[in-house]
Amino acid sequence: QPLYQYEKISILLLQGKYDEAHDRMLKLKNDLDFVTDKQLEDKAASLWHGEQNKVFKGDPYERSTLHAFLALSFLRKGDPESALSCVKSGLLFDADTEKGAYASDYALLYFIGAMCHQRLGNFQEAMRFQKEAIRSLSARQVKVGTAPDGQPIVSGTCFDPFLKDCNTVLVLWAGTPPTMIQQGEYKEDRQIVGGTMTLDS
């Protein structure tokens, strides 16, 4: 059901039905926050193999993405406080990875958090969130362009969310998402394999 709802929300956003998507995101967030049974989730993940077969709340990056979209939706509605709450929840879900290798590295959430703090007048916190966003992007060494001398420009080296006349955020999804694989005799060892990104600016 959650995976179906994620798809439905994506379609509503593509259709420009932002209020309907917002309401559905809120309902899904509440469902995921309050209907929790870790034992049953682990059992379900061990029984069903493949994203299309399992019925559960989503992996950490899926839950983090829901919170990122909901934060953007709250910003669109002029409510940076609720947006910041979503950012913090999303970062907590992102930190809840089994291996720790990808814990709290969701650059978009930090970037949105910086904008929220800026709009709330918390400029020190805004700068802290901006630094975390840059750290996260730089750690991945994602190429965003080429310098005149032919050297690659790495993400995190050339953006500033605090441009005074900036009133638009463009979120571009490209490449392939992470994939969860299961190994071991009983498929007990779950690992995230990072997606690929071939697009640059």
Side-chain angles (χ1 to χ4, degrees), residues 15-33:
Q15 293 173 336
K17 297 177 179 175
Y18 301 117
D19 290 334
E20 195 177 336
H22 182 87
D23 292 342
R24 195 173 285 258
M25 282 189 277
L26 269 181
K27 183 185 181 323
L28 180 56
K29 178 190 180 309
N30 289 333
D31 289 349
L32 299 184
D33 285 352

Side-chain angles (χ1 to χ4, degrees), residues 49-63:
H49 308 300
E51 295 292 322
Q52 71 276 17
N53 293 328
K54 61 191 176 189
V55 180
F56 76 127
K57 296 191 303 185
D59 286 314
Y61 63 87
E62 291 165 335
R63 283 178 264 181

Side-chain angles (χ1 to χ4, degrees), residues 32-124:
L32 299 184
D33 285 352
F34 297 114
V35 183
T36 304
D37 188 327
K38 182 79 174 108
Q39 236 182 343
L40 285 178
E41 283 175 37
D42 289 344
K43 185 178 178 184
S46 68
L47 291 173
W48 306 105
H49 308 300
E51 295 292 322
Q52 71 276 17
N53 293 328
K54 61 191 176 189
V55 180
F56 76 127
K57 296 191 303 185
D59 286 314
Y61 63 87
E62 291 165 335
R63 283 178 264 181
S64 295
T65 301
L66 171 66
H67 284 79
F69 271 82
L70 192 52
L72 287 168
S73 186
F74 274 120
L75 279 178
R76 181 181 166 275
K77 289 177 170 288
D79 186 353
E81 211 162 296
S82 295
L84 187 57
S85 175
C86 290
V87 166
K88 290 177 179 177
S89 294
L91 289 171
L92 284 174
F93 281 123
D94 192 44
D96 187 28
T97 55
E98 291 172 26
K99 300 295 179 185
Y102 303 100
S104 295
D105 67 349
Y106 207 129
L108 178 61
L109 279 167
Y110 283 115
F111 185 80
I112 297 168
M115 290 191 304
C116 293
H117 277 299
Q118 183 200 20
R119 291 184 184 190
L120 291 167
N122 308 330
F123 297 111
Q124 264 190 318

Side-chain angles (χ1 to χ4, degrees), residues 144-158:
V144 294
T146 306
D149 62 1
Q151 293 297 311
I153 299 171
V154 174
S155 62
T157 60
C158 58

